[in-house]
Amino acid sequence: MDDPFLLAGRTYRSRLIVGTGKYASFAETRKAIEASGAEIVTVAVRRVNITDPGKENLLEHLPSDRFTILPNTAGCYTVEDAVRTCRLAREAGVGTLVKLEVIGDERTLFPDVPATIEAARVLVKEGFQVLPYVTDDPIACKRLEEIGCAAVMPLAAPIGSGLGIRNPFNLRIIIEQSRVPVIVDAGVGTASHAAEALELGCDAVLMNTAIAGAKDALLMAEAMRLAVEAGRKAFRAGRIPAKLYATASSPLGGIIR
């Protein structure tokens, strides 16, 4: 791989992580994931059946030899619920790589940062590789890294809002100080938002509604794949400095006068 994405000791080609909610069927979910090129797929343990063999199981459509399943604690509002949900996923055989969400407010779905830090501390001690959803707060992200989280996942904007990156300056600080991957999580609405996250230097971007809620989910999934690839290449290429005044595209030396 020319530019692998390293997360929790594994390498991936794709820097796009996708969710599995809001699709009409498991078949549509699989098609959208295929179109996105994603190799890591997050699943809400509290909302999707991954444990009852008597019912249709989402994991049957996502073979483990092709996808890394990332169970998440969506819908958890307390430390206890989030920790219990992660333990349930591990007992179900999904693994120890988890996306931690501890929501603090039903209307905004902003994370409860102190509770997230507390839950992360418990889970890391129990051997989980924790990817915490958190506000775009450099101090909170640093604390989570120090605890031992495998990455930090600051939001771009409220979950499902589609507003895009509201505070690129905080993200730049988080990226600059972090020694673990920085993954933008929540708020992406369209391809340009995904490209911007990668252009800023984020290691990856996670999304669900932007794809599942689009008029053509499969086409949007493809657009997001291309946007993430373009944004990463632009970051690696190194953009020109932004200037207030014009600079001639052609050199001025040797002009015939």
Side-chain angles (χ1 to χ4, degrees), residues 17-21 40-44 58 68-72 99 206-208:
I17 303 170
V18 296
T20 53
I40 306 174
V41 181
T42 186
V43 176
L58 174 62
T68 294
I69 303 302
L70 177 63
N72 70 62
K99 176 188 171 184
L206 188 155
M207 67 184 71
N208 181 65

Side-chain angles (χ1 to χ4, degrees), residues 112-159:
D112 181 331
V113 174
T116 299
I117 292 173
E118 183 181 346
R121 185 175 286 112
V122 172
L123 292 167
V124 168
K125 286 182 179 179
E126 293 188 8
F128 286 92
Q129 297 160 304
V130 181
L131 312 182
Y133 161 66
V134 69
T135 54
D136 55 353
D137 176 358
I139 303 303
C141 288
K142 196 64 179 175
R143 294 290 177 268
L144 288 161
E145 178 184 326
E146 291 169 349
I147 286 169
C149 291
V152 291
M153 301 205 301
L155 55 78
I159 292 173

Side-chain angles (χ1 to χ4, degrees), residues 46-213:
R46 291 166 64 96
R47 295 172 178 163
V48 177
N49 172 43
I50 63 171
T51 59
D52 187 350
K55 298 179 181 179
E56 186 177 18
N57 191 314
L58 174 62
L59 300 188
E60 295 172 358
H61 299 264
L62 303 172
S64 59
D65 61 337
R66 292 200 56 187
F67 302 104
T68 294
I69 303 302
L70 177 63
N72 70 62
T73 62
C76 293
Y77 286 81
T78 67
V79 172
E80 294 74 21
D81 276 352
V83 170
R84 186 184 307 113
T85 300
C86 289
R87 290 170 178 163
L88 176 63
R90 179 171 60 185
E91 291 170 6
V94 181
T96 57
L97 182 68
V98 294
K99 176 188 171 184
L100 173 63
E101 297 182 31
V102 186
I103 302 301
D105 176 70
E106 288 186 4
R107 186 163 178 262
T108 65
L109 299 181
F110 280 144
D112 181 331
V113 174
T116 299
I117 292 173
E118 183 181 346
R121 185 175 286 112
V122 172
L123 292 167
V124 168
K125 286 182 179 179
E126 293 188 8
F128 286 92
Q129 297 160 304
V130 181
L131 312 182
Y133 161 66
V134 69
T135 54
D136 55 353
D137 176 358
I139 303 303
C141 288
K142 196 64 179 175
R143 294 290 177 268
L144 288 161
E145 178 184 326
E146 291 169 349
I147 286 169
C149 291
V152 291
M153 301 205 301
L155 55 78
I159 292 173
S161 68
L163 290 172
I165 296 172
R166 297 293 84 198
N167 196 337
F169 305 104
N170 274 20
L171 277 181
R172 287 173 60 185
I173 295 171
I174 293 167
I175 293 163
E176 182 179 305
Q177 73 180 13
S178 294
R179 295 170 295 174
V180 296
V182 177
I183 304 168
V184 160
D185 178 17
V188 169
T190 191
S192 60
H193 299 159
E196 181 183 6
L198 275 292
E199 287 173 359
L200 284 170
C202 293
D203 295 277
V205 62
L206 188 155
M207 67 184 71
N208 181 65
T209 304
I211 296 176

